[in-house]
Amino acid sequence: MKLYDSLTGEKRDFAPQGDEVKMYVCGVTPYSSAHVGHAMSYVYFDTLRRYLEFLGYTVKHVQNFTDIDDKIITAADKQKTSPVMLVEELVEEYLMDMANLNIQPAHVYPRVTDEITKIVEMIEGLIEKGFAYESEGDVYYRVTKFQGYGKLSHRTLDGMMAGARVEPNLQKDHAMDFTLWKASKLGEPSWDSPWGKGRPGWHIECSAMALHYLGPHLDIHGGGQDLVFPHHENEIAQTEAFTGEAPFADHWVHNGLLQIDEGKMSKSFGKLVTVRDALAKFSSDTMRLFFLNSHYHSPLAYADESIEGQQRAAERLLTALELDASDNAGSEAVDPEPFRQRFITAMDDDLNTPQALAALFDLTREINRGNDEKKQIGSAQDTLRELTGVLGLRLYPQEEESTQSASPFVELLAEIRQELRDAKQWELADRIRDRLQALGVSLEDGAGGTKWRNRSS
RNA sequence: GGCGACGUAGCCAAGUGGUUAAGGCGAGAGUCUGCAAAACUCUUAUUCGGCGGUUCGAUUCCGCCCGUCGCCUCCA
């Protein structure tokens, strides 16, 4: 497959170095609930992983929690709790949110606070090599020492200085030098180090954890486009300087950002919709279809109206999967192979999920048409089930607890209505159907009798 | 100011230097149905922000302009 690489700026063939694909995806800093921007990013990376697994690769997926940070300390203070408690609560919530989106869990979820030893070792190594220096208890990375600083984000140090709001800092040799180790103030969580009590800077943890769990040469390193600079740029500088090996990652994969109200959805602006809010309105299938209908590399605007359309699309897929064609008499069968090929071709081309979906919707039409024509559709349905699964769609009938427990009563009403229909009591029969519809239950009269399904959301 | 992305039908959104510009939602007509729903069939962009250029030919390549957005500071 071909995959776009932000470092080289081109679509390149993807081929892992070894037997397993080493994939590191930058995780969250748990100081508030996950929002739909996170959902989008992780749905894309989940889809990438599922597709690689579909191709037969074994993927080792590592995703960190940056569980110590200024914002966590501030948020914990505000909520009169401790950073540890706050993080525990939010990590648990995050994992639940991701599971609800049908995102496969990473194999390892390292946390900064468990990796301090590794981080300190790495900083010491960087100091020894002259890439870092201590200054009043802080340790900074010397950007001028690393040739190629800016190669990922395609900018130069001069370009970054021009017009940038860089605060002068006499502790640093160069304004763009960034923090590896930060001396702690009184009362803040801290760890012992050769430079005194403190905590890691923002970027070093990902370098240390990726190195620890996946080694010096990743196949895929991913995250949102907002991480390109400075986060990933700095990771490259730290890791390549430390290991002396390049490239740190073979493919740098960055997803476009989710927009809301004509601006990026971002925690710091308070303009956000949490994953919970979204999933209260829409199913995970609907949300995933909304994301996957757009290419991962493009920005996408969050809008309820846009998502609502995907709800119908999800139902369309489900309806085709639920067709019972067991008594179709025809000997001809719908051949899913051309659609499978289109799906693979699309996904091979830098994970072109919109085109892959187009192939699946065409297959859906072919299944429906085949059913009308009394063809065999079982194998086509199997393929549709398999490939929608690669996209992480669940496509199971909506069965809320309330309707599950109500099902005997719905069936009773359907039965009575059938008797009314047999007696041509249309008005009463329609009234039952309309009232059930208003309650979220659709009755559909087909050749083989009446089916009912929950259509409430 | 620097760097970058994007602008395709009512909405969302793929895509290509040249036979019919995917797919989804929506809308309209028809088939089916007691009526519906679902499904199917047909219709819904002679045209891809604007203006130039390259070319036999551009929506696709180049330049300029207009518009939207991102990064340059924490952020998936």
Side-chain angles (χ1 to χ4, degrees):
Chain A
M1 98 180 272
K2 285 194 185 298
L3 200 54
Y4 184 84
D5 168 35
S6 307
L7 181 66
T8 54
E10 54 193 21
K11 278 188 215 171
R12 298 203 346 270
D13 280 325
F14 173 77
Q17 312 297 305
D19 294 338
E20 63 177 11
V21 176
K22 297 173 181 182
M23 178 162 107
Y24 187 94
V25 180
C26 281
V28 294
T29 300
Y31 70 95
S32 64
S33 297
H35 58 68
V36 285
H38 298 119
M40 176 170 93
S41 181
Y42 297 128
V43 161
Y44 288 143
F45 284 102
D46 179 59
T47 305
L48 175 58
R49 172 174 159 191
R50 285 173 186 270
Y51 185 63
L52 290 171
E53 288 172 346
F54 168 80
L55 291 178
Y57 293 114
T58 302
V59 178
K60 184 164 184 191
H61 173 194
V62 177
Q63 185 169 329
N64 63 289
F65 283 113
T66 298
D67 64 346
I68 184 65
D69 170 275
D70 287 351
K71 290 191 292 298
I72 292 174
I73 296 171
T74 309
D77 275 355
K78 219 176 248 179
Q79 295 174 33
K80 306 252 186 281
T81 182
S82 69
V84 173
M85 299 276 283
L86 179 70
V87 164
E88 276 321 302
E89 190 182 310
L90 289 170
V91 163
E92 194 181 327
E93 181 186 301
Y94 171 87
L95 292 174
M96 197 93 81
D97 285 346
M98 294 300 115
N100 288 337
L101 286 161
N102 203 25
I103 289 169
Q104 293 184 301
H107 299 99
V108 188
Y109 285 104
R111 302 192 189 192
V112 178
T113 54
D114 294 331
E115 305 287 332
I116 301 290
T117 315
K118 288 277 164 199
I119 291 169
V120 168
E121 275 172 26
M122 196 165 171
I123 296 173
E124 285 181 304
L126 286 169
I127 291 176
E128 275 167 36
K129 291 189 173 190
F131 285 100
Y133 55 93
E134 189 267 334
S135 174
E136 298 173 33
D138 295 341
V139 181
Y140 295 99
Y141 186 93
R142 199 187 305 278
V143 291
T144 49
K145 168 89 176 173
F146 184 72
Q147 282 183 357
Y149 187 74
K151 63 184 176 182
L152 178 70
S153 51
H154 303 111
R155 44 187 104 182
T156 60
L157 275 176
D158 288 347
M160 285 181 237
M161 295 305 292
R165 283 168 288 168
V166 181
E167 289 175 27
N169 182 336
L170 297 176
Q171 276 180 254
K172 299 199 272 187
D173 289 357
H174 187 283
M176 295 307 293
D177 287 353
F178 57 90
T179 311
L180 296 173
W181 186 263
K182 182 172 181 161
S184 57
K185 302 189 188 98
L186 258 181
E188 288 180 347
S190 66
W191 290 262
D192 288 325
S193 82
W195 319 285
K197 284 190 178 300
R199 60 178 187 272
W202 175 36
H203 315 291
I204 190 70
E205 85 283 11
C206 279
S207 290
M209 291 188 268
L211 214 49
H212 183 183
Y213 293 97
L214 294 171
H217 194 159
L218 313 180
D219 294 303
I220 294 172
H221 193 136
Q225 257 162 12
D226 51 354
L227 295 182
V228 172
F229 189 89
H231 187 58
H232 287 162
E233 191 70 60
N234 291 352
E235 278 190 53
I236 289 178
Q238 293 159 349
T239 312
E240 293 185 358
F242 179 75
T243 64
E245 288 180 47
F248 173 33
D250 218 44
H251 277 81
W252 286 90
V253 179
H254 293 105
N255 62 273
L257 302 178
L258 191 67
Q259 317 288 317
I260 186 166
D261 292 337
E262 294 176 3
K264 189 183 66 167
M265 184 167 305
S266 159
K267 286 188 186 179
S268 39
F269 296 132
K271 292 191 303 193
L272 54 80
V273 177
T274 63
V275 173
R276 306 216 142 167
D277 291 344
L279 286 179
K281 277 182 174 168
F282 305 108
S283 71
S284 70
D285 284 346
T286 298
M287 291 306 296
R288 288 186 79 115
L289 280 172
F290 170 64
F291 296 139
L292 297 172
N293 184 45
S294 159
H295 189 88
Y296 80 86
H297 210 252
S298 308
L300 182 63
Y302 186 92
D304 279 359
E305 310 82 72
S306 305
I307 304 170
E308 277 157 14
Q310 298 306 323
Q311 195 168 298
R312 289 303 322 269
E315 283 170 13
R316 180 172 166 75
L317 295 170
L318 175 62
T319 303
L321 287 173
E322 285 185 318
L323 288 175
D324 178 6
S326 51
D327 40 318
N328 277 7
S331 56
E332 244 186 297
V334 173
D335 178 13
E337 275 316 300
F339 301 95
R340 171 190 288 272
Q341 279 313 315
R342 276 175 60 195
F343 177 87
I344 291 173
T345 302
M347 294 292 276
D348 272 348
D349 183 15
D350 195 26
L351 210 71
N352 192 330
T353 52
Q355 276 204 330
L357 277 171
L360 297 187
F361 281 108
D362 284 344
L363 174 58
T364 298
R365 173 173 293 108
E366 209 52 37
I367 289 171
N368 287 326
R369 193 185 332 201
N371 186 50
D372 286 353
E373 294 167 358
K374 299 292 170 206
K375 290 182 181 171
Q376 302 301 318
I377 57 173
S379 120
Q381 285 175 309
D382 290 347
T383 298
L384 182 60
R385 170 67 71 187
E386 179 194 9
L387 299 182
T388 50
V390 173
L391 300 181
L393 302 179
R394 291 191 175 105
L395 298 176
Y396 55 79
Q398 192 83 35
E399 278 189 25
E400 289 169 20
E401 271 177 45
S402 58
T403 52
Q404 260 178 358
S405 57
S407 84
F409 305 104
V410 172
E411 265 150 41
L412 173 64
L413 283 166
E415 198 182 308
I416 291 170
R417 177 170 166 275
Q418 186 56 48
E419 286 172 25
L420 290 168
R421 292 181 69 218
D422 290 344
K424 302 205 188 304
Q425 301 270 338
W426 309 126
E427 210 171 302
L428 263 181
D430 289 353
R431 200 169 132 203
I432 290 174
R433 185 174 60 196
D434 292 347
R435 294 293 299 275
L436 282 174
Q437 180 71 46
L439 295 170
V441 174
S442 292
L443 294 185
E444 298 176 4
D445 303 324
T450 299
K451 284 183 183 167
W452 69 273
R453 57 171 36 143
N454 182 11
R455 291 285 198 202
S456 64
S457 64

